[in-house]
Amino acid sequence: MIQEDLDAFLVDHGVEFKVGAVPFMGILDKVDSELDIGKVRTTSTMYTLLVKSSVVADYKLRNGSEITIGANRYAVREPEQIDDGAFTQLNLTKK
């Protein structure tokens, strides 16, 4: 198995987020999606945060958990492990 330095990857590409007062690094993505609702088309922003799966397990991040990125609070929705399970994508709702 290849040894990966997940922390170095996150430091190079990530932002600090907090679970309570405990700081971690993650990669924040804000993707705009077009939605068709009946005859109306609108744009919605989807917030996701890529974090180490060990953080998710250690701090029991799950649907409804709260995290802070900068001055913004987010609720966690639908944690999804990515590829080999080293990282988990947290879908977020801005509060």
Side-chain angles (χ1 to χ4, degrees):
M1 178 182 237
I2 298 173
Q3 291 296 321
E4 299 172 300
D5 188 350
L6 303 179
D7 292 317
F9 177 73
L10 292 172
V11 167
D12 286 346
H13 304 285
V15 296
E16 183 178 272
F17 74 97
K18 292 183 180 179
V19 179
V22 182
F24 297 99
M25 295 298 290
I27 298 174
L28 180 64
D29 198 9
K30 296 183 254 184
V31 179
D32 285 339
S33 299
E34 284 193 28
L35 303 173
D36 287 323
I37 302 172
K39 295 183 179 182
V40 178
R41 179 171 264 187
T42 187
T43 302
S44 177
T45 301
M46 171 97 165
Y47 297 91
T48 63
L49 186 68
L50 189 70
V51 302
K52 292 192 318 186
S53 293
S54 60
V55 171
V56 174
D58 292 347
Y59 288 86
K60 297 175 178 52
L61 295 178
R62 59 185 175 267
N63 194 20
S65 297
E66 187 173 302
I67 65 170
T68 305
I69 303 171
N72 298 309
R73 293 180 13 225
Y74 296 86
V76 172
R77 296 182 294 115
E78 308 157 15
E80 300 174 24
Q81 282 193 343
I82 305 296
D83 298 327
D84 65 357
F87 287 107
T88 295
Q89 176 177 298
L90 301 176
N91 297 321
L92 305 174
T93 299
K94 196 170 185 180
K95 290 186 150 193

